[in-house]
Structures are given as C-alpha cells and as structure tokens.
Amino acid sequence: MLSNEEIIDLIFKCVEELNRQLSEENKLALEETTAIAGKNSPLDSLGLVTLMLCIEGHLAVLGVRVNFLDKFSESSDLPFVTIGEMSLWLLDQLR
C-alpha cells in the first residue's frame, strides 16, 4: 500500500504536468494547502478532471485502481478541496 507521502509525491508530479498547460496566474503551488477545488482554486472543472485522470493513470501504473468519477457520481460534493485533503481521501480509498 502507498504511504501518504508517496501519494503526495504522485499528486505533485501530476500538478507539475498540469502546470505546463496552465497560464502563469493559474499555476498551482506544490503545497499540501493548495486549493484544487472550490471557489479558491484557480482550476476550472476541466483542469480538475485533467488532474484526477493524471493521478488515476499514475496509480494504474503502480497496479492501483481508483476511479474518481465513479466515486463522485454518488454525491455532488467533493470530499476534498486541497492537495493534502485529496491525498488523505486517496489513502482512505486505498485501504
């Protein structure tokens, strides 16, 4: 099983990939407190979905299957707003 630190590193890798596509003012900071969803996030819905698909892809390479969209179809509320919260949510999903 992946540790929280490994999940954070994986998320940061995907944020770096996403940042290459974003304008300078919309780039995400590589910090656990960075908002990736909600009103304080510079990401639109497409940016958030792109980030989630990148994370799913990197996890799949490690033999771990997580489908964000399946999980969120059950509720309209995201269970996380920041990178750190996403990491803890993923850690819980992998248990």
Side-chain angles (χ1 to χ4, degrees):
M1 183 165 102
L2 294 171
S3 69
N4 190 49
E5 182 177 302
E6 291 169 317
I7 293 172
I8 290 286
D9 289 343
L10 187 142
I11 295 171
F12 283 172
K13 179 184 270 189
C14 289
V15 167
E16 288 173 337
E17 291 178 26
L18 181 62
N19 276 344
R20 287 189 218 116
Q21 302 171 35
L22 299 174
S23 63
E24 199 60 42
E25 62 271 4
N26 288 332
K27 290 189 186 302
L28 298 171
L30 297 178
E31 299 175 6
E32 291 185 41
T33 58
T34 298
I36 54 173
K39 63 182 179 182
N40 294 323
S41 172
L43 294 181
D44 58 13
S45 58
L46 180 60
L48 181 57
V49 168
T50 301
L51 178 62
M52 291 189 291
L53 289 174
C54 179
I55 293 166
E56 284 180 11
H58 282 280
L59 287 171
V61 168
L62 299 173
V64 177
R65 179 168 151 54
V66 172
N67 188 318
F68 284 95
L69 298 180
D70 283 351
K71 299 288 184 186
F72 301 147
S73 65
E74 301 163 2
S75 170
S76 62
D77 296 326
L78 285 176
F80 52 80
V81 173
T82 67
I83 289 174
E85 291 171 354
M86 176 190 257
S87 175
L88 293 174
W89 179 85
L90 278 169
L91 193 60
D92 186 55
Q93 298 303 304
L94 300 178
R95 290 188 180 143

